[in-house]
Amino acid sequence: MKFFFKCDEATNVCDKSQYKEAGFFDKLMLHIHLLMCKICRGYTKRNVKLTKTINSANIKTLRPEEKEILKARLRHEIDNERRIQS
């Protein structure tokens, strides 16, 4: 069992932690790594800020049914364009 993360492992756990996919031991090891690594602390701070910004953006996306309608329209237009060019 390893007791210290390398930076690439720490950033991976940081990302997992943002999406609530990291386990307790991984989060504990991340916090220990962050105490010693200024670069990873900066990465974590920027990652948290990005996540907060995205969550507060109130982005609206298409419903699955709307996406399918749009895909069908695009396929139809592409097929028509190909027929015209042929």
Side-chain angles (χ1 to χ4, degrees):
M1 179 179 287
K2 293 190 323 186
F3 289 102
F4 294 103
F5 280 154
K6 293 181 182 177
C7 289
D8 61 335
E9 294 169 315
T11 56
N12 187 24
V13 172
C14 175
D15 294 342
K16 284 183 178 181
S17 182
Q18 291 289 133
Y19 298 105
K20 307 205 181 343
E21 297 174 357
F24 174 77
F25 183 74
D26 283 340
K27 288 192 269 187
L28 177 65
M29 297 311 299
L30 174 63
H31 285 288
I32 292 170
H33 181 87
L34 294 177
L35 289 172
M36 298 181 285
C37 184
K38 183 178 180 179
I39 294 170
C40 289
R41 275 195 308 270
Y43 176 86
T44 301
K45 184 177 179 180
R46 288 187 305 275
N47 206 18
V48 168
K49 185 177 181 181
L50 177 62
T51 299
K52 285 181 181 179
T53 302
I54 290 170
N55 289 338
S56 68
N58 196 20
I59 297 172
K60 304 219 183 329
T61 60
L62 295 174
R63 293 187 314 265
E65 312 84 50
E66 294 171 321
K67 288 180 184 181
E68 289 304 316
I69 292 169
L70 185 57
K71 285 180 187 178
R73 285 179 52 196
L74 288 170
R75 279 189 215 109
H76 180 73
E77 291 295 323
I78 291 170
D79 290 342
N80 284 342
E81 189 66 31
R82 286 182 182 156
R83 277 190 223 117
I84 292 171
Q85 291 178 354
S86 296

